[in-house]
């Protein structure tokens, strides 16, 4: 790898996140509206209030003939240890009443506590291609070389694309109260997340350059490779949370406005 390519692919530039929690799950269409209300107004702000959590994004996909809504949720964190911190474990083991109710609707949850192995670009586009995979026996180096040297280098500079992150599962997730409610989670080995502002450009990657057969040709286990295209539904950064103000009240010119001040 050349010095110039090293500069393009590493380090991870987005919000200084060196690790992430990657979640893939389904929710029935009949409860998706309540789920999204809860996730937007209670759950994600709660998670982003934990020290070390930097940014959360929620992505959804709705297949025409599917009874479920497919979700990908990513929480970027300062370091892997944040995902095993006492503050995070306290929330996992003491869910709110609403959270406990929502956990019962989670299906086929895959949850991975990951390090950010490589990345290009910054920010996030409106469309996400999420590819989960695992290397075949003895093929980890081959998959890494292909993705980092051949795929990621320059990817974010292409028209229609914004950024890409390669995440690798790095920490076993302990059983928690939340997980006990929804049932034991499955996990994943690695995930490549590519975002873009042009849905067609992202979909083209999924159909050709980053199709499952391309992964298999470069050392990934065919049975472990899956891909889906999502649209961004919500994003929140830790610095956006108003911890001392009523979030339902308006802000004007940087100052809180309440009825008594009008």
């Amino acid at each position: 790898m050349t010095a110039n390519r090293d500069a393009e692919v590493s380090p991870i530039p987005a919000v200084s996140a060196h690790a992430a929690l990657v979640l893939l799950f389904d929710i029935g269409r009949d409860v998706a509206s309540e789920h999204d209300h809860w996730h937007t107004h209670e759950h994600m702000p709660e998670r982003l209030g934990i020290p070390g959590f930097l940014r959360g994004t929620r992505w959804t996909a709705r297949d025409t003939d599917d009874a479920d809504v497919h979700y990908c949720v990513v929480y970027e964190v300062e370091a892997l240890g944040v995902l095993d911190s006492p503050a995070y474990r306290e929330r996992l083991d003491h869910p709110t009443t609403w959270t406990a109710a929502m956990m019962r609707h989670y299906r086929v949850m895959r949850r991975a506590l990951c390090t950010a192995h490589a990345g290009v670009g910054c920010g996030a586009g409106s469309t996400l291609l999420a590819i989960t995979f695992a290397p075949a026996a003895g093929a980890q180096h081959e998959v890494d070389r292909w993705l980092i040297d051949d795929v990621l280098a320059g990817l974010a500079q292409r028209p229609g694309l914004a950024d890409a992150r390669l995440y690798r599962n790095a920490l076993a997730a302990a059983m928690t109260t939340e997980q006990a409610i929804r049932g034991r989670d499955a996990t994943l080995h690695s995930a490549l997340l590519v975002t873009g502002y042009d849905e067609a450009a992202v979909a083209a990657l999924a159909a050709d350059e980053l199709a499952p057969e391309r992964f298999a040709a470069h050392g990934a286990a065919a049975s472990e490779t899956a891909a889906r295209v999502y649209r961004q539904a919500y994003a929140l950064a830790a610095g956006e949370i108003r911890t001392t103000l009523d979030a339902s009240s308006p802000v004007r010119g940087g100052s809180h406005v309440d009825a008594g001040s009008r």
Side-chain angles (χ1 to χ4, degrees):
M1 185 182 295
T2 66
N4 182 57
R5 186 168 292 173
D6 279 338
E8 290 178 349
V9 176
S10 173
I12 307 299
V15 295
S16 302
H18 297 286
L21 176 64
V22 178
L23 308 168
L24 298 165
F25 56 92
D26 293 350
I27 297 290
R29 286 178 182 261
D30 57 333
V31 293
S33 180
E34 182 185 359
H35 171 273
D36 293 354
H37 177 46
W38 159 78
H39 200 266
T40 300
H41 297 290
E42 179 181 284
H43 193 66
M44 192 174 283
E46 176 193 274
R47 292 304 194 246
L48 270 294
I50 297 170
F53 274 68
L54 300 174
R55 179 171 64 182
T57 49
R58 184 176 74 244
W59 311 79
T60 60
R62 298 170 182 260
D63 298 341
T64 303
D65 299 324
D66 202 326
D68 292 339
V69 180
H70 309 290
Y71 288 82
C72 176
V73 174
V74 181
Y75 291 104
E76 297 168 80
V77 298
E78 290 178 345
L80 186 64
V82 171
L83 299 176
D84 196 35
S85 66
Y88 183 39
R89 285 299 306 268
E90 195 278 335
R91 295 313 314 144
L92 292 171
D93 285 327
H94 299 88
T96 68
T97 300
W98 201 3
T99 294
M102 286 294 98
M103 289 297 103
R104 295 181 172 87
H105 296 287
Y106 275 58
R107 302 172 182 170
V108 294
M109 167 71 95
R110 301 178 72 189
R111 181 170 177 264
L113 286 58
C114 301
T115 53
H117 192 57
V120 292
C122 57
S126 57
T127 301
L128 166 73
L129 169 60
I131 306 169
T132 58
F133 65 96
Q140 181 74 70
H141 178 73
E142 181 183 356
V143 179
D144 284 351
R145 188 212 60 76
W146 171 61
L147 286 174
I148 295 173
D149 289 0
D150 299 341
V151 175
L152 289 183
L155 187 69
Q157 299 304 313
R158 297 186 192 179
L161 304 182
D163 83 311
R165 297 287 174 269
L166 176 58
Y167 292 115
R168 181 164 298 156
N169 195 331
L171 183 66
M175 178 56 71
T176 66
T177 300
E178 285 188 11
Q179 186 177 168
I181 294 171
R182 64 179 178 258
R184 182 171 292 277
D185 299 333
T187 190
L188 54 92
H189 182 282
S190 299
L192 177 63
L193 307 182
V194 182
T195 77
Y197 57 87
D198 184 335
E199 184 177 358
V202 177
L205 279 179
D208 184 14
E209 188 174 350
L210 294 179
E213 55 267 25
R214 295 293 186 98
F215 275 78
H218 291 90
S223 61
E224 296 291 328
T225 304
R228 191 183 297 276
V229 175
Y230 300 82
R231 291 186 176 181
Q232 186 174 147
Y234 186 64
L236 181 67
E240 296 175 313
I241 299 175
R242 296 163 57 201
T243 57
T244 60
L245 301 178
D246 177 3
S248 65
S249 299
V251 172
R252 181 179 301 154
S255 300
H256 181 56
V257 178
D258 58 32
S261 66
R262 291 174 185 164

